[in-house]
Amino acid sequence: MTPSPVGRPTRGTTGVNRLRRVDRWIARHPVLRRADDPFVIDLGFGASAATPLELHARVTRVRPDATVLGLEIDPERVARARAQAEGIDGVSFALGGFEVPTPGERRPAIIRAMNVLRQYDEADVADAWARMCARLAPGGILVEGTCDEIGRVVTWVEVGADAVPRSLTVSLRLAELEDPAILAERLPKALIHRNVPGERVHDYVAALQREWSRAAAVAPFGPVHRWRTAIEALAADGWPVRGRSRWRLGEVGVDWSAVAPA
């Protein structure tokens, strides 16, 4: 008898290009580039095959041999996705949740779980991370986070195969950005309830907001220049920011230790 998938059905909402920002980050990640088996899982892909297909298209630009498995705990969603992706090589779909079932016990290099844990309690996060990370290949990573409905505000945590979080990344559409504190509405479940005084992530959001405001003087040079100025100021203040080459995209990472719950 096949065990029931672990987890609860998500709302199933999805959309074309909604996860483009995190897809591109994954496609550039050294884990994908160096993996002996570039096997990637899209866990909780939603009501259509859109996000697994887009993820596959982006990672195969870097690793043409990459394959993607979409997992859902709703059988109807799995059947629908299979019909939508019929005839497309390198993408498959199966019934599964946090236990991450794979053909032949194949171990993924990367598991992406976006907009899945947002409906859970914060106390459930560590167990979900541990379950998923236990299925990773050695050196693999879990990418877990959330985004708005059209993918203009996205945040995610990189978690190692040891289930220890490494970094928080924020990616914002800079055109028409008024206040980077908008990211607080889309923080991952492990942090979204921690955006209160006395917590590190609250300090980080406030610092980013403050430096963005201070950088208003260079706004005439464009939002990219203003964003980079703000992030450089964060770095000068001692924040352990990451991903300099991607700051121009409205993206910035920070060491987990700088934002971890108190």
Side-chain angles (χ1 to χ4, degrees):
M1 182 177 179
T2 303
S4 298
V6 177
R8 301 195 297 265
T10 63
R11 291 183 301 167
T13 53
T14 189
V16 174
N17 264 339
R18 186 184 186 192
L19 300 181
R20 61 193 178 278
R21 291 177 177 272
V22 67
D23 283 356
R24 292 165 183 160
W25 183 87
I26 288 172
R28 291 176 58 89
H29 202 288
V31 166
L32 177 71
R33 293 170 178 264
R34 300 170 186 168
D36 293 333
D37 180 9
F39 176 37
V40 183
I41 285 181
D42 185 4
L43 192 148
F45 59 82
S48 79
T51 60
L53 290 174
E54 291 170 352
L55 177 59
H56 179 257
R58 289 173 180 132
V59 296
T60 52
R61 292 172 190 163
V62 177
R63 289 293 302 264
D65 56 338
T67 56
V68 173
L69 171 64
L71 291 178
E72 259 290 349
I73 65 175
D74 183 336
E76 292 185 3
R77 294 177 185 174
V78 173
R80 186 183 306 119
R82 285 174 174 166
Q84 292 171 340
E86 186 175 1
I88 299 177
D89 294 333
V91 185
S92 58
F93 302 88
L95 195 67
F98 295 138
E99 79 285 7
V100 193
T102 58
E105 293 299 296
R106 191 178 175 195
R107 299 272 181 165
I110 299 173
I111 298 173
R112 185 187 70 183
M114 294 295 293
N115 301 305
V116 174
L117 289 177
R118 62 189 302 175
Q119 65 181 340
Y120 289 79
D121 294 332
E122 182 183 341
D124 298 327
V125 172
D127 181 67
W129 282 358
R131 284 179 177 269
M132 291 185 281
C133 290
R135 299 292 297 134
L136 288 167
I141 59 168
L142 165 67
V143 181
E144 187 272 309
T146 189
C147 69
D148 68 348
E149 288 73 12
I150 55 177
R152 293 183 176 182
V153 181
V154 193
T155 72
W156 61 88
V157 181
E158 177 185 335
V159 186
D162 56 2
V164 176
R166 298 173 176 174
S167 64
L168 169 71
T169 299
V170 171
S171 187
L172 305 174
R173 185 175 185 270
L174 296 180
E176 302 172 2
L177 177 66
E178 295 182 1
D179 186 349
I182 192 174
L183 70 90
E185 302 171 4
R186 301 293 173 172
L187 284 168
K189 176 58 72 170
L191 296 174
I192 194 166
H193 303 300
R194 301 286 182 155
N195 187 32
V196 294
E199 291 282 353
R200 297 181 184 94
V201 70
H202 180 270
D203 294 341
Y204 179 62
V205 173
L208 180 56
Q209 186 180 35
R210 180 175 62 252
E211 297 304 343
W212 173 259
S213 179
R214 287 176 176 173
V218 299
F221 297 101
V224 172
H225 187 78
R226 182 178 180 181
W227 176 259
R228 294 185 67 161
T229 300
I231 304 307
E232 287 168 357
L234 281 181
D237 286 342
W239 288 96
V241 291
R242 301 181 171 200
R244 179 178 290 272
S245 66
R246 299 182 64 78
W247 293 353
R248 60 185 175 79
L249 303 175
E251 185 178 299
V252 63
V254 65
D255 290 354
W256 181 256
S257 60
V259 295

